[in-house]
Amino acid sequence: LPKDKAESFCHALGFRLITRRSGAPFAARADVLERLARETHRLAAESGSLALSPELCKLAESDEADMAALLFALGYRRQRDNEGIVRYSRKGGRPKKRDAKDATPTPDKPAKRPRKRGKKPARKKQMDEKRYADSPFAVLRDLVPGGD
């Protein structure tokens, strides 16, 4: 099967296709990935990173090689600490959205210009009317609530 069809097939059955470092894919159950994500998030929140343990491997129902691929799929990156122990930590979270009110211009980035709000230009309005004229729902526009 081509990769995209195999991935769709796995999703339909409740599995996710994970690729090992060697390039060979394997399927992991979605519920196992969710449990693993919860547990790794809890462990990483305590110390900032986590090391592979037999408990994590048992939770994921996999060996250490597959566990490394699962952690990579969950967004964790491998690194060695000062003692040479392999640890996994999440690389960069999503940036938080700033409110437009709090947006202050920085030297690197100019302030965004506010969008103009108002009436649509006449040409745009004509184009919209022409486009929606052929819609099967166009007759609904002419209906009057409570009318005959």
Side-chain angles (χ1 to χ4, degrees):
L1 281 175
K3 185 178 179 183
D4 59 335
K5 290 193 180 204
E7 194 166 344
S8 297
F9 181 71
C10 286
H11 278 281
L13 295 177
F15 286 80
R16 179 164 174 208
L17 207 58
I18 307 292
T19 306
R20 296 180 183 101
R21 276 187 162 193
S22 65
F26 71 98
R29 286 190 357 224
D31 64 319
V32 170
L33 279 174
E34 288 176 14
R35 280 195 311 249
L36 181 64
R38 259 193 317 270
E39 185 64 22
T40 54
H41 186 277
R42 186 185 66 76
L43 291 172
E46 294 172 1
S47 64
S49 64
L50 60 105
L52 287 183
S53 65
E55 293 81 23
L56 277 179
C57 291
K58 185 177 178 183
L59 179 70
E61 302 171 359
S62 65
D63 60 357
E64 287 188 17
D66 289 347
M67 186 65 179
L70 288 171
L71 288 174
F72 185 81
L74 291 174
Y76 289 87
R77 300 299 177 254
R78 181 184 169 143
Q79 59 190 13
R80 291 191 184 272
D81 64 4
N82 296 336
E83 293 99 32
I85 298 173
V86 175
R87 300 188 67 79
Y88 293 85
S89 63
R90 291 205 45 114
K91 289 289 183 184
R94 292 183 180 162
K96 294 183 179 179
K97 291 184 180 180
R98 296 188 325 184
D99 291 337
K101 298 172 191 172
D102 298 338
T104 56
T106 59
D108 301 342
K109 192 174 181 182
K112 288 185 179 179
R113 296 177 73 180
R115 286 180 36 188
K116 292 182 180 179
R117 303 248 182 220
K119 294 182 179 179
K120 289 183 180 180
R123 183 170 181 250
K124 176 122 175 130
K125 189 174 182 181
Q126 290 171 354
M127 287 174 41
D128 284 348
E129 287 176 2
K130 191 184 292 184
R131 184 172 67 187
Y132 295 122
D134 296 334
S135 168
F137 300 103
V139 293
L140 297 176
R141 205 177 1 190
D142 302 329
L143 294 178
V144 178
D148 294 350

